[in-house]
Amino acid sequence: MANAIRALAMDAVEQAKSGHPGLPMGAADIAAVLFGRFLKFDPADPAWPDRDRFVLSAGHGSMLIYAVLHLLGYPAMTIEEIKRFRQLGSITPGHPEHGHTPGIETTTGPLGQGLANAVGMAIAERHLAATFGDGLVNHRTYVLASDGDLMEGISHEAIALAGHLRLAKLTVLFDDNGISIDGPLALADSVDQVARFTAAGWSASRIDGHDPGAIAGAIEAAQHSDRPTLVACRTTIGFGAPSKAGTEKSHGSPLGADEIAGAREKLGWEDAPFAIPADVRALWRQAGLRSQAGRAAWDARVAALEPDARAEFARRRRGDGAQDALAATVRTVKQKLAASPQEVATRRASEIALESLVPALPELVGGSADLTGSNNTRPKGMAVLSAADYSGRFIHYGVREHAMAAAMNGMALHGSVIPFSGTFLVFSDYCRPALRLAALMGQRVIHVMTHDSIGLGEDGPTHQPVEHLAALRAMPNLLVLRPCDAVETIECWQLAIQRQTGPSVLALTRQNLPQLRAGFDADNRCAAGAYELVPADGQAAVSLFASGSEVAVAVEARALLAGRGIAARVISVPCVELFLAAPSERRRAVIGDAPVRVAIEAAVRQGWDAIIGTDGVFVGMSTFGGSAPYKDLYRHFGITAAAVADAASTKLGGK
Ligand SMILES: Cc1ncc(C[n+]2csc(CCOP(=O)(O)OP(=O)(O)O)c2C)c(N)n1
């Protein structure tokens, strides 16, 4: 069975003239034992909620999972797809892509991410088991990780979190082949991984990764451990290749015809390229049917549920069932804000939103990377999710922004939860690789990122984001939401929760802001991305565009301009991406035809020209910030109503 993986991997890579044969050939025995004897899954329904999750963290070894899916009988993974490895339109891209290929649990390739995704999957599993019971939710998460996965810094954060939360149903099978791209691992690494995982609270052992009995024994032991388990499987990269096995030469390029012929001989594999002997195929097909009884029993347990419980479980699976509760909650919060306006920081406004959203939407699972009190992501009464009680809904991620973001991806991929978290906006850089994968995979994760500008004040330029809004807006399929007051904050939360096709960042202030939206508005005005908040008195000479905390500056500047006889309108821009995605007539109507356009944002200009044009006036930052009380900083950097009014007047005078 393992040799079938090896043959398909070397043949597909050879045909594509690119790819990585070494890992699939080296880890084939591990995969054959895991899928052949242990993994719970249903090839006919790759999305069966109670399946075991398998994450190929070392995504470059993609042919391993493609070969396995094919051999197990996943209908979409035909031999034709294997032959079209790495070709346009195939379901066998260079690295595994979730949503593109049935049976792929997460998109991997950037090393370390898959491992941290798996931690999130294992968290979601425990949480949902605590919520719905072991009868509905009781599955394991397996990871195949390489040297590269374990060298990446994110692995440190992820394994520490998993050990702390005692995620006993998480098993990492480490393809311990001692080879990476540059050559022997000894060139760059001398960590004792078993000792490292043990120190992080895992069970850890070393085995011969080519001995099926040892592999099975280790997986069985993992199933009885009260901790997550690392199995360091000593393997030979490119196992079977006569001269390239055990060397970096088999890592990432086709073996070549001679080497493949030699490997066929060495492995005793006589079949033509892409041909699988009937007896081997039969063994794999049997493995593919192994979980049928378990699947049927699970279906029966679901069918036997009380109708309400069954409906709730199904609603959570769909992930779209909260719309009524969401709409009602948002409405109530907005009515309260209309009745008693709040002059609060938007981070506090977000907490006000969460005080209502968290009880109304049980799928929300929050957290913070050790900034809970600053991010305001834990409303009163939200219990902590811990090793002692997985039913809690708030996760203390520790100072681990990267693993937090990647674990959230895993939770969203697992399904039935909507993860949200907190950190400072400046540390979005620490989350970025995971955020990018959330955007690529179209996963709904919600990042509350507070302290969103020089408005945070005294902590100074190390903590003051300047380029981050632009950098985040540059990422496809990510929504950057920067509300200007409490009303926009609840509207932005609504947009983020409703959005099932990708991640959102809520950029929120530390400093208090006036509530600019007076009265009750049933519509979600933020959904337009930008809208006229305050019209001009008469024909507008100036349009003032701003986001977040700078909308109040724009409103004040409008009054100053009015005093000078200049009519100005204020456009709030809570989401540049939504606005730019609107049809051009709607965009033109919001942008208007005032001769002077000004944008105000306490961040760099990049991106704003799409709204104000290259001749527009920008009032914002072009350097790093400084350490001082925030009002002093706004004055120092010239982001004031007076500066805006002066810049607009000057520009108008020059017209
Ligand atoms: C974050 C990240 N950095 C770099 C790479 C490029 N890369 C792909 S595989 C690899 C290392 C290969 O070594 P190992 O992980 O041991 O895999 P093996 O050689 O055993 O297949 C590197 C550096 C990557 N995919 N992700």
Side-chain angles (χ1 to χ4, degrees):
M1 288 172 80
N3 283 346
I5 298 174
R6 295 187 172 106
L8 287 175
M10 62 185 182
D11 290 342
V13 171
E14 194 67 16
Q15 175 136 321
K17 300 191 183 64
S18 80
H20 301 76
L23 184 145
M25 295 176 78
D29 293 303
I30 302 169
V33 172
L34 178 64
F35 282 87
R37 299 196 211 168
F38 292 98
L39 207 81
K40 180 171 78 166
F41 59 97
D42 181 357
D45 181 7
W48 172 30
D50 203 31
R51 69 192 182 281
D52 289 342
R53 303 319 196 247
F54 172 76
V55 172
L56 180 66
S57 192
H60 61 275
S62 56
M63 262 315 300
L64 175 101
I65 183 71
Y66 299 152
V68 165
L69 294 176
H70 170 68
L71 293 164
L72 288 170
Y74 280 70
M77 191 57 77
T78 61
I79 196 71
E80 295 311 315
E81 292 293 341
I82 301 283
K83 289 180 185 168
R84 297 203 306 134
F85 180 49
R86 293 184 158 235
Q87 305 308 306
L88 197 62
S90 75
I91 61 164
T92 47
H95 293 81
E97 294 177 30
H98 173 79
H100 184 77
T101 308
I104 299 299
E105 301 287 0
T106 178
T107 297
T108 52
L111 290 163
Q113 294 289 331
L115 172 60
N117 293 161
V119 172
M121 292 175 187
I123 292 173
E125 191 273 343
R126 282 295 79 201
H127 174 68
L128 292 164
T131 308
F132 290 102
D134 281 356
L136 294 191
V137 184
N138 187 7
H139 49 267
R140 312 188 68 86
T141 304
Y142 293 94
V143 183
L144 186 70
S146 67
D147 296 303
D149 284 304
L150 300 193
M151 280 194 276
E152 288 291 349
I154 191 174
S155 75
H156 178 76
E157 299 179 22
I159 69 170
L161 184 60
H164 178 72
L165 290 175
R166 290 212 166 226
L167 300 173
K169 295 169 86 176
L170 174 65
T171 303
V172 172
L173 300 159
F174 166 32
D175 181 34
D176 181 14
N177 63 25
I179 292 288
S180 66
I181 291 179
D182 281 2
L185 205 63
L187 291 170
D189 194 65
S190 43
V191 169
D192 177 342
Q193 295 293 355
V194 167
R196 181 168 80 118
F197 276 75
T198 304
W202 290 53
S203 309
S205 65
R206 275 195 182 84
I207 62 160
D208 173 354
H210 297 301
D211 174 351
I215 299 165
I219 294 174
E220 251 158 41
Q223 295 189 339
H224 296 107
S225 174
D226 61 353
R227 300 151 179 247
T229 298
L230 170 84
V231 186
C233 309
R234 174 56 68 173
T235 61
T236 301
I237 190 169
F239 183 94
S243 73
K244 295 184 176 175
T247 77
E248 68 279 11
K249 293 195 177 69
S250 68
H251 160 85
S253 39
L255 295 178
D258 292 350
E259 189 78 4
I260 288 177
R264 281 193 143 70
E265 202 172 318
K266 229 171 145 51
L267 296 169
W269 190 266
E270 291 162 359
D271 298 80
F274 302 106
I276 306 294
D279 55 340
V280 175
R281 193 176 283 284
L283 286 173
W284 273 106
R285 283 296 155 89
Q286 265 168 25
L289 300 175
R290 219 191 53 252
S291 308
Q292 266 187 340
R295 171 71 207 250
W298 184 85
D299 286 342
R301 288 196 295 278
V302 172
L305 290 172
E306 294 297 324
D308 283 358
R310 191 166 57 241
E312 176 62 4
F313 187 69
R315 185 189 75 75
R316 292 283 294 267
R317 281 302 307 165
R318 282 198 311 275
D320 62 354
Q323 299 307 330
D324 290 349
L326 177 61
T329 307
V330 170
R331 191 180 178 83
T332 309
V333 172
K334 286 169 90 172
Q335 279 165 341
K336 279 189 197 156
L337 290 172
S340 70
Q342 300 290 312
E343 179 162 340
V344 293
T346 46
R347 62 176 171 148
R348 168 65 191 138
S350 167
E351 185 179 13
I352 293 172
L354 288 171
E355 281 164 4
S356 296
L357 290 168
V358 166
L361 276 68
E363 49 269 66
L364 287 172
V365 176
S368 171
D370 201 41
L371 288 167
T372 304
S374 300
N375 302 143
N376 300 49
T377 45
R378 186 182 173 204
K380 268 193 205 68
M382 194 177 192
V384 170
L385 186 157
S386 68
D389 182 3
Y390 293 114
S391 73
R393 292 168 58 194
F394 184 85
I395 300 173
H396 288 288
Y397 283 102
V399 192
R400 302 185 183 108
E401 296 84 4
H402 197 181
M404 172 174 76
M408 288 164 68
N409 292 353
M411 293 163 74
L413 286 160
H414 181 280
S416 300
V417 292
I418 304 175
F420 71 92
S421 73
T423 187
F424 289 158
L425 182 62
V426 79
F427 303 136
S428 59
D429 287 339
Y430 279 55
C431 304
R432 195 173 176 92
L435 209 43
R436 181 172 192 274
L437 284 165
L440 177 61
M441 291 189 276
Q443 290 303 305
R444 174 176 45 187
V445 293
I446 303 172
H447 290 270
V448 172
M449 294 190 168
T450 67
H451 297 59
D452 70 349
S453 75
I454 54 166
L456 67 87
E458 293 84 344
D459 270 349
T462 54
H463 284 50
Q464 290 162 353
V466 172
E467 75 281 25
H468 299 73
L469 291 170
L472 291 169
R473 285 172 184 149
M475 196 182 285
N477 198 33
L478 172 68
L479 283 195
V480 181
L481 299 156
R482 190 167 188 251
C484 76
D485 73 354
V487 176
E488 280 199 0
T489 303
I490 181 77
E491 289 185 348
C492 288
W493 262 109
Q494 184 176 25
L495 294 174
I497 293 172
Q498 273 172 353
R499 183 166 197 251
Q500 285 187 264
T501 53
S504 302
V505 167
L506 288 155
L508 306 176
T509 66
R510 172 179 186 248
Q511 75 274 27
N512 286 349
L513 301 176
Q515 186 172 317
L516 299 170
R517 289 270 296 279
F520 174 74
D521 211 332
D523 289 343
N524 186 325
R525 301 196 75 187
C526 291
Y531 64 94
E532 188 174 85
L533 178 70
V534 193
D537 289 329
Q539 181 73 25
V542 177
S543 288
L544 301 169
F545 300 86
S547 83
S549 39
E550 285 69 66
V551 179
V553 177
V555 171
E556 219 187 306
R558 178 187 173 279
L560 293 180
L561 286 166
R564 298 175 196 176
I566 299 171
R569 54 198 280 271
V570 174
I571 300 92
S572 178
V573 191
C575 184
V576 171
E577 302 87 297
L578 285 175
F579 179 58
L580 295 182
S584 60
E585 318 81 74
R586 201 162 351 125
R587 266 195 332 259
R588 271 202 294 273
V590 173
I591 289 175
D593 51 12
V596 170
R597 293 182 205 164
V598 183
I600 311 141
E601 185 167 71
V604 296
R605 174 171 183 142
Q606 194 172 334
W608 278 99
D609 287 13
I611 294 174
I612 59 171
T614 49
D615 285 337
V617 177
F618 183 74
V619 176
M621 299 292 291
S622 56
T623 63
F624 294 111
S627 172
Y630 82 90
K631 287 183 181 164
D632 293 346
L633 290 174
Y634 270 88
R635 268 194 300 275
H636 176 74
F637 289 105
I639 308 175
T640 61
V644 171
D646 288 350
S649 309
T650 306
K651 186 78 180 176
L652 195 60
K655 288 253 164 194

